[in-house]
Amino acid sequence: MNLSKLKMLGAVVFASIMLEAFYASATPDRQNRSNETGSQPTPVLALCPADAAWISDPTLPAEVGGDSFCDFYQFSWKAFYYLMSPSAADPSIRNFEDTSRFPVLLDQDSCEPTSPGKHTVYVRTTKQNDNTPDFTLPQAINQAGAGSTIYDQNGHVVYYSMSFSRDLCTKAASATPQQGNLPENAIELKFAWRVLNPVEVSEFVTIDATIFEPGAANPSTYKLGLVGFHMALSTPNHPEMVWASFEHHRNAPNCTLPDNPTATAWSFTSPSCAACLATPTDTCVRDTCAFNTAPNNATAITGKPTEICRLYPTGTAPEDHMAETNINVINTLNAQLTGTDGLVAKSVVEASPKAVLANYRMLGAQWLKDPSIGSNPTLGQASNQRGSLVLENPVMETTFQGEMPFVEHGVLAAVMGNQSGATNCFTCHEYTPGNTATVTESSNRNGLSHIYGEIINQIKLTEDEN
């Protein structure tokens, strides 16, 4: 590994952290040296301004406003606040919980109006590879791909659930479900949940989940808190979908140059392992704490706490295309929206269900520059990808973040992004223009939407039974 590249990564991560602090205190007359065109200095808020109306009067955006990085991240935040806001039809639930619009992906009949309720999570003991024709969803305690299972610092397993917009059911039931792109403005959502104690409830988006545990005679009910969130939204101009990821601010510290590693009660990092990141040794990083490792296909709902750190805070490696712009835009929006001085705290009353949204930050997003071209790197299409090119959510793709840092002169030095084996959304969700790209028995290539593929399988199974 080239030492200069290692130093470069450290500099980028350090810059990311410093930018968060800078933007949090910035005023419109403060200057930032970088913008997307690389021209004259731009006022910080003009770089990518947030709007309190996204929170106070949220609407679901139908299209990205332009082609700049800022446009895509503004689009993602608008969708996030809409989905997390109380439903106008039933203020006791949030919009994403309205199963008349966003059915929960179950192990059968996901599209039926009589499907089990919105708070049901089915626990499975295994999860197949994403590119097998008979891939079955939902997974509940195993992460996608590697099948890893993680546990919080209380030893409780993390549960996963998925929802989707009902228009996917209509498309899947059509005469040609695998022809053409996915429906315009289709939405897919994936959630990571941890069991909360009563003291924590006010800090999280929560659900009361009925969970069918392996071997249990009766289901159990838990108060779960949202710790990780993926959303993918298609638009008329972007059928490849815009893939965005968010997390709770208490999840875990950064691996390199951690942000106050001993100052927060992390959900997925012990105090001793957070301290290891501040004064690292190879022994504590790789052996004692064994960061970002997890058992595959574990079936127990309690277990040894997983030690997690965030390798790429904005899903960006130094050599990535427009890395500095990507980091700047993500950080300036996070700073404007979240925290005690952010727009969420300023625009909602403390008792509002929206107040808790101040505790969530964006990790990054991905999209394609030219949707008429696919996303597959093996076909020479890697240069078509934009945004956070090594985007992984630490509690949803824990072991896919890339190779762990090593210690050099008492400082953590991370290996480089794609050279380390780090992946991103399009690694597992391959986009082929003009095709829903669902996996078929004649292909071992990953499809754009695994959820959509499962809906098709469920419909076919129902037709065969009838």
Side-chain angles (χ1 to χ4, degrees):
M1 181 61 61
N2 187 301
L3 182 58
S4 64
K5 286 190 175 183
L6 294 173
K7 292 179 179 178
M8 185 189 304
L9 178 57
V12 168
V13 176
F14 178 75
S16 174
I17 295 166
M18 294 305 293
L19 278 165
E20 290 195 30
F22 173 77
Y23 289 134
S25 61
T27 56
D29 60 329
R30 295 287 294 271
Q31 299 290 310
N32 177 51
R33 293 183 302 161
S34 171
N35 60 18
E36 184 162 344
T37 62
S39 57
Q40 297 300 314
T42 304
V44 169
L45 297 184
L47 172 71
C48 195
D51 190 339
W54 303 348
I55 305 150
S56 60
D57 188 23
T59 57
L60 188 62
E63 185 57 86
V64 181
D67 58 6
S68 73
F69 279 43
C70 178
D71 290 321
F72 284 90
Y73 288 116
Q74 289 175 329
F75 171 87
S76 299
W77 270 114
K78 291 176 188 177
F80 174 82
Y81 284 126
Y82 175 82
L83 292 166
M84 294 295 159
S85 293
S87 166
D90 181 359
S92 69
I93 62 174
R94 299 177 190 267
N95 281 316
F96 77 82
E97 296 178 277
D98 182 354
T99 53
S100 67
R101 300 176 59 203
F102 302 106
V104 177
L105 188 68
L106 306 173
D107 55 359
Q108 59 182 356
D109 299 331
S110 297
C111 292
E112 291 298 318
T114 56
S115 294
K118 59 183 170 54
H119 292 156
T120 300
V121 178
Y122 284 83
V123 173
R124 298 194 321 126
T125 57
T126 60
K127 185 176 189 300
Q128 296 167 294
N129 292 330
D130 288 340
N131 62 349
T132 55
D134 56 349
F135 181 65
T136 301
L137 295 173
Q139 76 272 30
I141 64 172
N142 302 128
Q143 295 182 355
S148 302
T149 302
I150 65 173
Y151 300 86
D152 67 16
Q153 287 302 301
N154 296 320
H156 294 298
V157 76
V158 170
Y159 295 100
Y160 300 93
S161 65
M162 277 167 280
S163 300
F164 55 94
S165 56
R166 194 167 284 279
D167 51 359
L168 288 180
C169 296
T170 303
K171 173 67 175 175
S174 69
T176 56
Q178 294 179 331
Q179 295 180 12
N181 291 314
L182 293 176
E184 293 179 355
N185 303 119
I187 300 174
E188 298 186 357
L189 310 172
K190 185 172 181 179
F191 308 83
W193 306 96
R194 60 172 283 253
V195 177
L196 300 179
N197 60 49
V199 177
E200 298 175 304
V201 169
S202 63
E203 300 179 45
F204 292 81
V205 170
T206 65
I207 60 172
D208 295 313
T210 301
I211 298 177
F212 292 81
E213 300 166 357
N218 298 300
S220 301
T221 300
Y222 294 94
K223 179 75 73 175
L224 300 183
L226 182 66
V227 291
F229 178 59
H230 284 331
M231 64 179 183
L233 297 87
S234 68
T235 76
N237 291 340
H238 288 278
E240 82 279 12
M241 310 185 89
V242 178
W243 302 78
S245 191
F246 298 79
E247 67 168 359
H248 194 271
H249 74 106
R250 269 185 49 193
N251 279 357
N254 298 334
C255 299
T256 54
L257 298 173
D259 40 345
N260 299 319
T262 60
T264 302
W266 302 109
S267 296
F268 297 96
T269 315
S270 65
S272 60
C273 286
C276 165
L277 295 174
T279 56
T281 65
D282 275 321
T283 299
C284 75
V285 169
R286 294 188 177 276
D287 300 327
T288 305
C289 297
F291 285 104
N292 300 340
T293 60
N296 292 342
N297 295 324
T299 60
I301 62 169
T302 58
K304 180 182 177 182
T306 309
E307 301 291 351
I308 296 176
C309 63
R310 191 186 306 103
L311 187 54
Y312 294 101
T314 57
T316 307
E319 75 275 19
D320 289 345
H321 177 75
M322 296 182 71
E324 184 180 0
T325 294
N326 200 60
I327 292 171
N328 287 355
V329 173
I330 292 171
N331 282 337
T332 191
L333 282 174
N334 279 335
Q336 291 176 72
L337 292 164
T338 66
T340 56
D341 295 324
L343 290 178
V344 176
K346 292 178 179 179
S347 61
V348 301
V349 297
E350 187 175 350
S352 168
K354 298 179 184 180
V356 71
L357 301 180
N359 295 330
Y360 292 87
R361 66 185 292 274
M362 175 186 284
L363 285 164
Q366 283 190 279
W367 61 93
L368 296 182
K369 175 179 174 58
D370 183 356
S372 69
I373 301 173
S375 65
N376 191 340
T378 63
L379 299 179
Q381 298 167 346
S383 62
N384 195 32
Q385 298 182 15
R386 290 293 183 270
S388 301
L389 301 184
V390 288
L391 179 62
E392 301 289 354
N393 191 304
V395 298
M396 303 177 82
E397 296 101 5
T398 305
T399 62
F400 280 95
Q401 294 187 77
E403 191 175 334
M404 266 303 298
F406 60 91
V407 178
E408 183 178 272
H409 305 302
V411 177
L412 278 172
V415 295
M416 300 306 291
N418 292 322
Q419 296 178 17
S420 72
T423 57
N424 62 32
C425 304
F426 289 121
T427 303
C428 295
H429 299 272
E430 182 184 332
Y431 169 67
T432 302
N435 193 298
T436 57
T438 302
V439 174
T440 64
E441 294 183 5
S442 62
S443 170
N444 63 358
R445 294 168 63 182
N446 290 333
L448 177 66
S449 169
H450 305 157
I451 290 177
Y452 182 69
E454 177 58 17
I455 295 171
I456 292 176
N457 289 341
Q458 291 178 2
I459 291 174
K460 287 181 177 178
L461 179 62
T462 301
E463 291 175 347
D464 291 343
E465 290 176 347
N466 294 333

